[in-house]
Amino acid sequence: MFCLITSDPIDPGDIMSRVRSDADGAIVLFCGVVRDHDAGRPVVGLRYEAHEAMAREKLEQISADVASRFEIGDIAVVHRVGDLSVGEVSVAIAVAAPHRDAAYKASREVIERLKREVPIWKRERYADGDEAWLDGQVPDTASDG
Amino acid sequence: MFCLITSDPIDPGDIMSRVRSDADGAIVLFCGVVRDHDAGRPVVGLRYEAHEAMAREKLEQISADVASRFEIGDIAVVHRVGDLSVGEVSVAIAVAAPHRDAAYKASREVIERLKREVPIWKRERYADGDEAWLDGQVPDTASDG
Amino acid sequence: MQQQQSHDATPVTAVRVRSLFFASYRDLVGAEEIEIELPAGSTVAELVAIVRARPGADALPDAPVVAVNHEYVPAETVLRDGDEVAFIPPVAGG
Amino acid sequence: MQQQQSHDATPVTAVRVRSLFFASYRDLVGAEEIEIELPAGSTVAELVAIVRARPGADALPDAPVVAVNHEYVPAETVLRDGDEVAFIPPVAGG
């Protein structure tokens, strides 16, 4: 298991290589990428901010929990913080598993939970010079305690 | 759209880079990898064989069909033929989409249809020196004509 | 894509087709490719019967999946001169 | 992980906690981090009320999501000396 919050560019190939083992026949990699629009408004870049220590712990909890509920080999999750341009990878999730069904399901579960539970925030920079924290979702705190 | 049957090693990063555009916020990459066992029997390698021209056309048909049914940007599919060792990538499918739900669903649809419709065969080489064509599935021919 | 099944306007008395065999079917038939001439109007099913009459090839299914010019077709499809007829064993890509 | 909520055996009259503010909450509060001293036995809800009394900070929700020492906790959680209390705006990772 490998969970990281980093200000360095994400290398998806590196993330994939961290999860593969000879027992696994399937790898699913999800990459979130900064796109050039949001809700119809042109976006030139994003700034991600995190409670880094807590975010890494949450990613580790989510990964361990997902690994216990699906037949998978390993999970790696890396989320970027700082200023990103359009086209840069903001998050990469790699899941290796003996069979593809578990790999797809576990991958999806990690990204959905990441978006609901992990303390990361996103500030959009628009083409017109404006900036705004993106409306997020009230974190799902149910998995704790 | 990019569909290829190749005897060269597959570079997943290259496949991903072929689908990304600035309008897409999500990329899902699926890699099938040769694993070291099948049905409990140790496997040392695989030989993939294809009706190459037909397989490429089928992949193009499947990709076009999936692209028409999900809100995605682009699809790339590459399938390897020839002798592969444990750990090598046999198939890579990259789907880029504005949003992740469509990317995951389209990715899954492509691999499921590939396995049902595309004329590719697999010969397993076992640790004990034995070899056998893997039992496949009778192709789903319904999408034609 | 629709498999073209009509004949040319010119009457022909025979058609030649290329039969391709892959994977386990190639092992059974003992060849990758066989050119076969049939009477004009012959169907895929009739070609299959001719192929299955070869030594060893009777282990092929009665009604194998067949693709003509890269498209899966039903057994009653009429063959045209020059068709490529691929005998498709159960597939196992991925 | 279970959030430890019991007190030390030694009686204390006050606890000092570090409150952290992120993203839009940092903008509202005008600080990344504030050290606050409260009476022993104070809860998260009581800390929130103290923070919301600061200029501008009344725009924080009445009951913001709070994490103590990296775990989400309910508002009735009793604070211990040295706790890190993170005020967590709606999250938007991915």
Side-chain angles (χ1 to χ4, degrees):
Chain A
M1 210 169 77
F2 178 76
C3 299
L4 183 69
I5 306 291
T6 180
S7 55
D8 295 328
I10 293 174
D11 175 355
D14 173 66
I15 313 303
M16 286 180 77
S17 68
R18 288 178 182 274
V19 297
R20 209 200 63 74
S21 86
D22 286 350
D24 296 316
I27 303 176
V28 171
L29 174 72
F30 172 81
C31 289
V33 184
V34 180
R35 65 172 195 273
D36 61 7
H37 64 281
D38 186 53
R41 194 167 177 190
V43 169
V44 296
L46 292 181
R47 179 175 181 78
Y48 282 94
E49 177 179 325
H51 184 328
E52 296 194 19
M54 177 176 168
R56 200 191 60 244
E57 286 179 25
K58 283 284 151 209
L59 290 178
E60 286 167 352
Q61 288 171 16
I62 291 167
S63 297
D65 188 41
V66 168
S68 74
R69 291 191 301 105
F70 295 94
E71 292 222 358
I72 63 171
D74 203 0
I75 299 181
V77 190
V78 179
H79 202 295
R80 180 94 180 267
V81 289
D83 288 311
L84 280 73
S85 306
V86 170
E88 285 195 274
V89 174
S90 56
V91 59
I93 299 168
V95 178
H99 299 286
R100 69 188 180 284
D101 186 59
Y104 273 105
K105 286 179 176 161
S107 171
R108 190 71 199 262
E109 181 87 357
V110 172
I111 183 63
E112 299 303 326
R113 289 189 57 181
L114 183 156
K115 286 180 170 269
R116 285 198 307 265
E117 300 174 33
V118 179
I120 301 175
W121 303 278
K122 181 157 54 176
R123 189 170 174 83
E124 290 186 333
R125 291 181 277 125
Y126 302 104
D128 59 13
D130 205 4
E131 291 193 10
W133 291 108
L134 200 83
D135 285 337
Q137 46 187 322
V138 175
D140 177 1
T141 61
S143 63
D144 277 9
Chain B
M1 208 168 77
F2 178 77
C3 299
L4 182 69
I5 306 292
T6 179
S7 55
D8 296 328
I10 292 174
D11 175 355
D14 173 64
I15 312 305
M16 285 180 76
S17 68
R18 288 177 182 276
V19 297
R20 210 200 63 73
S21 86
D22 286 349
D24 296 317
I27 303 177
V28 171
L29 175 73
F30 171 82
C31 291
V33 183
V34 179
R35 66 174 194 274
D36 61 7
H37 63 282
D38 185 54
R41 194 166 177 190
V43 169
V44 296
L46 292 181
R47 179 175 181 77
Y48 282 95
E49 176 177 325
H51 183 329
E52 297 194 18
M54 178 176 167
R56 201 191 58 243
E57 286 179 23
K58 283 283 153 209
L59 291 178
E60 286 166 351
Q61 288 170 17
I62 290 168
S63 297
D65 189 40
V66 168
S68 74
R69 290 190 302 106
F70 295 95
E71 292 222 359
I72 63 172
D74 203 1
I75 299 181
V77 190
V78 178
H79 202 296
R80 181 95 180 268
V81 290
D83 287 312
L84 278 73
S85 304
V86 169
E88 286 196 272
V89 174
S90 56
V91 59
I93 299 169
V95 178
H99 300 285
R100 69 188 179 284
D101 185 61
Y104 274 105
K105 286 178 177 162
S107 171
R108 189 73 197 263
E109 182 87 357
V110 171
I111 183 61
E112 298 305 326
R113 287 190 57 182
L114 183 157
K115 286 180 169 270
R116 285 198 307 265
E117 300 174 34
V118 179
I120 300 175
W121 303 277
K122 179 155 56 174
R123 189 170 175 82
E124 290 186 332
R125 291 180 278 126
Y126 303 104
D128 59 13
D130 205 5
E131 291 193 10
W133 291 107
L134 201 82
D135 285 338
Q137 45 188 322
V138 175
D140 177 1
T141 62
S143 63
D144 277 10
Chain C
M1 266 169 276
Q2 188 71 33
Q3 173 60 27
Q4 186 79 22
Q5 298 182 12
S6 60
H7 290 126
D8 289 340
T10 324
V12 285
T13 55
V15 294
R16 289 184 72 83
V17 300
R18 292 170 59 220
S19 296
L20 305 184
F21 304 96
F22 295 93
S24 58
Y25 288 0
R26 183 186 56 235
D27 296 351
L28 290 175
V29 173
E32 282 193 9
E33 181 171 341
I34 307 174
E35 283 243 351
I36 295 178
E37 190 170 292
L38 307 94
S42 294
T43 63
V44 163
E46 287 160 338
L47 175 68
V48 168
I50 292 170
V51 168
R52 291 187 74 247
R54 293 170 59 93
D58 57 343
L60 286 177
D62 284 346
V65 170
V66 162
V68 171
N69 304 330
H70 306 169
E71 295 292 340
Y72 295 117
V73 296
E76 61 271 23
T77 302
V78 173
L79 295 167
R80 294 176 305 159
D81 195 51
D83 277 348
E84 177 206 280
V85 185
F87 286 64
I88 306 288
V91 297
Chain D
M1 267 170 276
Q2 188 71 32
Q3 174 61 29
Q4 186 80 21
Q5 298 182 15
S6 61
H7 291 128
D8 289 341
T10 325
V12 285
T13 55
V15 295
R16 287 184 73 82
V17 301
R18 291 170 60 220
S19 296
L20 306 184
F21 304 96
F22 295 93
S24 58
Y25 289 0
R26 183 185 57 235
D27 295 351
L28 290 175
V29 173
E32 282 191 10
E33 181 171 342
I34 307 175
E35 282 245 349
I36 295 177
E37 191 170 291
L38 306 95
S42 294
T43 62
V44 163
E46 287 160 336
L47 175 67
V48 168
I50 291 170
V51 168
R52 291 187 73 248
R54 293 169 59 95
D58 57 343
L60 286 176
D62 284 345
V65 171
V66 162
V68 171
N69 304 330
H70 305 170
E71 295 292 340
Y72 295 117
V73 296
E76 61 271 24
T77 303
V78 172
L79 295 167
R80 294 177 305 159
D81 195 51
D83 276 349
E84 177 207 282
V85 185
F87 287 62
I88 307 288
V91 298

